[in-house]
Amino acid sequence: MEPISFASFTLASILASLPVNGETVTEPTITTHISPAIAGQWEIDLNSSITMTKDAKAQQAASSNSLQKNRAEPKVVADMDGGIITQSEARILNIKPTSSKDLMASVNKSNQCRELYNFGADNEMWAVSGKEWTYGRYLVTHREEGLPVIAIKTVYDNNEVDCSGNQIDQTDEALIAFLYHDGNQMQWCADPDGTECFMTFNRVLP
């Protein structure tokens, strides 16, 4: 599996937020638990680039629309014979698709590099990529603001070659990212607002 970027959190800081045995917590600000919502098998989209969540896109579109409404578009004078046209009318383009490029058929799934992640309802996670498989534990932390945080600690890696040709032993490595989950899609992001998401997963099995 490819090495994964880390969010600006540490596993120690998340574990430190948990109460010690017997300690009374009067005003909890963070809740940490497994997430049955993401339990199941997921396939990572290896071709996905840095993107943003649906919520972040909607917020960006809303702020963009409000800015456009505040702008008054001036009218453009063509000439005495042509009269007056508006800018919006002048922007209409007639673009015809070209047939010079042939459409490529999608590659058969069996030949693609596939990485499958399995999240159990018991905090266990295991992943398979080519000949490599890893086993670990995961935890989801909900904060007062922003996206929840997912923390994964790899307990075992068989150190075989993954489907993309890399051989990296990830035993004892920890990953922390912001988690966005919407139905059958899950994204891991580098920021709490979901504007820089570096991994996208699609659900395979419930």
Side-chain angles (χ1 to χ4, degrees), residues 2 43-51 105-109 111-115 117 163-164 185 187 197-202:
E2 296 286 341
E43 181 177 7
I44 187 170
D45 182 359
L46 295 171
N47 296 319
S48 66
S49 56
I50 301 293
T51 183
S106 60
V107 181
N108 192 334
K109 275 280 187 184
N111 295 329
Q112 286 184 339
C113 178
R114 299 185 73 192
E115 289 192 2
Y117 286 70
C163 69
S164 57
Q185 190 177 73
Q187 291 173 284
C197 301
F198 53 88
M199 295 184 85
T200 300
F201 298 81
N202 295 303

Side-chain angles (χ1 to χ4, degrees), residues 62-74:
S63 63
S64 175
N65 287 340
S66 64
L67 284 174
Q68 287 179 358
K69 285 179 183 177
N70 293 335
R71 293 180 188 155
E73 289 196 8

Side-chain angles (χ1 to χ4, degrees), residues 49-190:
S49 56
I50 301 293
T51 183
M52 62 177 67
T53 65
K54 281 191 208 174
D55 292 349
K57 284 180 185 176
Q59 289 175 357
Q60 190 178 67
S63 63
S64 175
N65 287 340
S66 64
L67 284 174
Q68 287 179 358
K69 285 179 183 177
N70 293 335
R71 293 180 188 155
E73 289 196 8
K75 298 204 171 185
V76 179
V77 177
D79 55 32
M80 293 303 292
D81 296 329
I84 297 175
I85 60 172
T86 63
Q87 278 189 322
S88 57
E89 290 172 331
R91 290 187 192 137
I92 296 174
L93 300 174
N94 184 15
I95 301 174
K96 295 181 180 178
T98 59
S99 58
S100 59
K101 294 181 180 178
D102 296 330
L103 296 176
M104 298 290 291
S106 60
V107 181
N108 192 334
K109 275 280 187 184
S110 61
N111 295 329
Q112 286 184 339
C113 178
R114 299 185 73 192
E115 289 192 2
L116 298 174
Y117 286 70
N118 300 273
F119 293 93
D122 52 1
N123 284 93
E124 294 187 350
M125 184 282 298
W126 62 100
V128 178
S129 175
K131 292 183 178 180
E132 181 190 30
W133 66 270
T134 60
Y135 165 79
R137 310 280 292 173
Y138 78 99
L139 217 56
V140 174
T141 299
H142 290 269
R143 307 175 312 130
E144 286 185 341
E145 294 182 3
L147 295 174
V149 175
I150 183 168
I152 298 175
K153 171 82 171 181
T154 302
V155 176
Y156 175 79
D157 187 325
N158 69 346
N159 198 23
E160 293 289 339
V161 179
D162 66 16
C163 69
S164 57
N166 297 318
Q167 186 173 5
I168 301 170
D169 187 354
Q170 300 178 75
T171 303
D172 292 329
E173 284 189 5
L175 159 77
I176 297 176
F178 293 97
L179 171 70
Y180 177 80
H181 172 237
D182 181 24
N184 290 325
Q185 190 177 73
M186 173 171 62
Q187 291 173 284
W188 289 357
C189 311

